[in-house]
């Protein structure tokens, strides 16, 4: 049954977020196809394993056509969907980068490696600082789940501190901080931060927005052309897909 | 290369041919099975390719689809089928495609 499970998982994945009638019709049609396929194989005495392999292979070969069908049928305007995808990808990558950077730099504190070529005092201080930043980022990411505004504020403080402390790395750190804070705000708005008082929520939101604004002002000369280029590129790709879908 | 709007792929013409040759409406897997038989292919048409082609033919009005009665499917102990039937427009279009492909076939050099 593995091939059928793969096929059903795939159809659920690529129909996610589509209008319900189109999604339901495709799910039902594929369920029927899989049943008929297995029934026909049983009637002709074929081995179950070979049939499941054939079903998985049919799914894999049609994946590109499935995605193209999805682009034609999707409800949200394609450019918005593409931009949203890039936004989340930026949040994940930026968070991963900051965690990696601080984690590797703070590793000497845990005795994972030593920094013998540095002055002992400097090395210790740097490693301790990076460990604190790393733990702050980890706590921020964990808090996004239950207390998103607190998590976002923590991420905003840590990433803003990093942008200023390592000011020579601003081309890398400021976009990362902006992506992390932006993602945190988006998560907080989606999860609607229950359990916090109004004044606390306002204070955390103000802190986060201040950090985001600071970054936006600093990065504007670099960010604005970049965002415009990304938006134009994403729109062009989405339109190309839609045209191709209509033609197909 | 982009396809001309309204142009049919060989797979779509083959589906129309099968629908024309059948008295009964056909469901997706049956079409895939018959396509493989007709072309002596070892593997069936991929799900995505097949259902995208069927959707396009239905959108062009060349095929008409309907879901079979759920009670019928329940009695047979299987999921209900979506059945496809050739429309009048589909039959006309198939005739045009046949007429276009015939002179092209006649121009092919004979090898025997």
């Amino acid at each position: 049954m593995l091939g059928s499970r793969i096929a059903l998982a795939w159809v659920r994945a690529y129909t996610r977020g589509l209008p319900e009638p189109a999604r339901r019709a495709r799910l039902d049609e594929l369920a029927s196809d899989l049943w008929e396929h297995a029934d026909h194989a049983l009637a002709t005495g074929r081995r179950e394993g070979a049939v499941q392999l054939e079903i998985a292979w049919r799914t894999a070969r049609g994946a590109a056509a499935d995605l193209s069908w999805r682009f034609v049928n999707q409800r949200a305007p394609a450019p918005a969907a593409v931009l949203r995808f890039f936004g989340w990808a930026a949040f994940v990558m930026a968070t991963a980068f900051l965690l990696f950077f601080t984690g590797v730099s703070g590793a000497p504190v845990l005795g994972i490696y030593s920094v013998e070529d540095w002055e002992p005092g400097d090395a210790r201080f740097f490693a301790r600082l990076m460990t604190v930043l790393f733990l702050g980022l980890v706590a921020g990411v964990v808090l996004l789940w239950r207390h998103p505004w607190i998590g976002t504020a923590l991420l905003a403080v840590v990433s803003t501190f990093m942008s200023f402390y390592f000011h020579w790395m601003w081309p890398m750190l400021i976009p990362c901080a902006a992506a992390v804070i932006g993602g945190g705000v988006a998560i907080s708005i989606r999860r609607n931060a229950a359990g916090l008082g109004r004044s606390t929520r306002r204070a955390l939101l103000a802190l986060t927005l201040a950090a985001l604004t600071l970054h936006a002002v600093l990065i504007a000369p670099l960010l604005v052309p970049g965002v415009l280029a990304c938006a134009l590129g994403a729109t062009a790709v989405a339109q190309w897909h839609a045209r191709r879908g209509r033609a197909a | 290369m982009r396809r001309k709007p309204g142009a049919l792929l060989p797979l779509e013409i083959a589906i129309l041919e099968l629908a024309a040759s059948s008295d009964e409406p056909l469901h997706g897997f049956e079409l895939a099975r018959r396509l493989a038989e007709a072309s002596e292919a070892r593997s069936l048409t991929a799900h995505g390719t097949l259902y995208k082609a069927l959707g396009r033919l239905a959108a062009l009005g060349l095929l008409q689809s309907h879901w079979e009665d759920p009670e019928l499917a329940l009695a047979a102990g299987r999921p209900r089928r979506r059945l496809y039937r050739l429309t009048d427009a589909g039959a006309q279009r198939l005739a045009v495609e046949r007429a276009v492909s015939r002179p092209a076939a006649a121009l092919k050099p004979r090898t025997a």
Side-chain angles (χ1 to χ4, degrees):
Chain A
M1 296 298 282
L2 184 65
S4 300
R5 282 185 187 167
I6 291 171
L8 285 172
W10 169 241
V11 74
R12 279 193 206 101
Y14 75 76
T15 57
R16 192 177 298 276
L18 291 182
E20 190 53 26
R23 176 177 162 82
R24 180 46 50 198
R26 179 53 74 99
L27 281 166
D28 287 352
E29 192 154 30
L30 196 90
S32 166
D33 187 298
L34 295 175
W35 191 94
E36 301 288 348
H37 197 155
D39 185 58
H40 178 261
L42 191 71
T44 51
R46 293 186 60 203
R47 281 192 308 114
E48 169 77 13
V51 175
Q52 292 302 319
L53 198 64
E54 188 178 45
I55 288 174
W57 180 229
R58 278 184 82 194
T59 305
R61 282 185 292 126
D66 286 329
L67 291 177
S68 154
W69 175 84
R70 181 194 162 83
F71 270 107
V72 175
N73 283 277
Q74 68 188 357
R75 177 174 24 200
V82 173
L83 284 176
R84 200 159 48 233
F85 170 78
F86 280 120
W88 286 116
F91 169 70
V92 171
M93 285 193 292
T95 308
F97 171 73
L98 293 183
L99 284 169
F100 175 78
F101 177 55
T102 53
V104 168
S105 305
V109 169
L110 303 172
I112 292 173
Y113 66 84
S114 62
V115 282
E116 289 162 1
D117 53 333
W118 289 16
E119 287 296 318
D122 287 349
R124 264 197 301 276
F125 172 75
F126 181 74
R128 281 175 186 161
L129 177 67
M130 295 306 270
T131 305
V132 169
L133 293 175
F134 174 75
L135 293 175
L137 286 171
V138 171
V141 170
V142 171
L143 282 168
L144 282 179
W145 180 248
R146 283 297 173 99
H147 303 289
W149 280 117
I150 298 176
T152 303
L154 193 54
L155 288 174
V157 168
V158 173
S159 58
T160 303
F161 176 81
M162 285 178 70
S163 299
F164 283 92
Y165 189 80
F166 304 104
H167 53 86
W168 60 94
M169 289 175 67
W170 70 269
M172 272 199 295
L173 291 179
I174 293 181
C176 281
V180 168
I181 299 168
V185 171
I187 290 171
S188 302
I189 290 169
R190 276 189 173 196
R191 296 183 65 84
N192 201 19
L196 290 177
R198 181 183 283 185
S199 56
T200 314
R201 271 208 310 269
R202 280 185 179 171
L204 290 170
L205 179 62
L207 178 68
T208 305
L209 289 180
L212 197 58
T213 309
L214 193 60
H215 282 101
V217 170
L218 288 171
I219 199 67
L222 187 71
L223 200 62
V224 170
V227 167
L228 282 177
C230 285
L232 284 173
T235 308
V237 168
Q239 283 178 345
W240 174 74
H241 268 291
R243 270 204 306 273
R244 200 162 167 240
R246 275 197 296 275
Chain B
M1 198 171 72
R2 189 182 297 177
R3 191 182 348 172
K4 282 182 194 170
L8 296 182
L9 292 174
L11 171 68
E12 292 162 346
I13 296 169
I15 290 172
L16 292 182
E17 290 278 8
L18 283 177
S21 66
S22 173
D23 295 333
E24 297 291 316
L26 299 169
H27 56 85
F29 176 76
E30 184 61 19
L31 279 164
R33 198 183 64 73
R34 291 193 189 189
L35 282 168
E37 263 181 18
S39 61
E40 296 178 0
R42 287 189 65 191
S43 55
L44 299 170
T45 310
H47 298 131
T49 314
L50 176 68
Y51 291 110
K52 187 182 169 195
L54 287 171
R56 185 165 181 269
L57 290 172
L60 289 171
L62 307 181
L63 287 181
Q64 190 181 37
S65 77
H66 69 277
W67 288 95
E68 74 173 348
D69 187 354
E71 286 182 13
L72 199 69
L74 198 66
R78 55 170 168 70
R80 65 191 181 131
R81 295 166 170 169
R82 187 177 194 172
L83 300 164
Y84 294 88
R85 181 194 294 279
L86 194 70
T87 61
D88 291 342
Q92 286 171 11
R93 179 61 186 268
L94 186 59
V96 171
E97 293 292 337
R98 283 172 179 162
V100 169
S101 62
R102 210 167 286 143
L107 285 173
K108 277 186 186 171
R110 292 190 174 189
T111 53

